[in-house]
Amino acid sequence: FGAPIMPPISNLSTVRHHIQEKNPFRLRMSESNDSESLSTPLDKPALAVVDFISLVVFAGVGKASHAPDGSLDIAAVLTTALPFLLAWFTTSPLTGVYVSDSDG
């Protein structure tokens, strides 16, 4: 019912502009030499380490809360954390989590 019709998109710049207008999360890309490059966890390694530790602790708390005796098995914690880590670090370039402050 009354869904807006999107105009044809001809290039990446138009796509990025449209996404930034419509997306509250504001996908961000750093620009260098007129080419677009995505930010990666390597752009802010200290923040990436904090994110890694936080996700492993999150998995550990979850595993401990579901264990009958509250014990932790580090292999089980890492196995549980793996999908969260993979999802976080593979989507972070698209969401602009690690864009440096100078990139806007």
Side-chain angles (χ1 to χ4, degrees):
F1 300 139
I5 298 173
M6 193 169 104
I9 297 174
S10 59
N11 61 34
L12 180 61
S13 176
T14 304
V15 171
R16 190 178 80 176
H17 178 71
H18 179 75
I19 290 172
Q20 287 177 340
E21 280 183 357
K22 305 295 181 192
N23 185 357
F25 297 107
R26 308 286 286 184
L27 295 181
R28 296 166 60 183
M29 295 182 193
S30 59
E31 296 184 17
S32 60
N33 298 333
D34 292 334
S35 65
E36 296 175 355
S37 62
L38 298 175
S39 64
T40 69
L42 297 176
D43 294 336
K44 290 194 173 183
L47 182 57
V49 169
V50 170
D51 289 344
F52 178 87
I53 292 169
S54 298
L55 288 169
V56 171
V57 168
F58 168 75
V61 168
K63 288 304 265 186
S65 69
H66 292 288
D69 60 354
S71 64
L72 282 177
D73 173 16
I74 191 65
V77 170
L78 293 175
T79 301
T80 301
L82 185 63
F84 293 99
L85 293 167
L86 288 174
W88 181 257
F89 288 113
T90 56
T91 60
S92 64
L94 298 175
T95 57
V97 173
Y98 298 105
V99 171
S100 67
D101 296 335
S102 63
D103 289 340

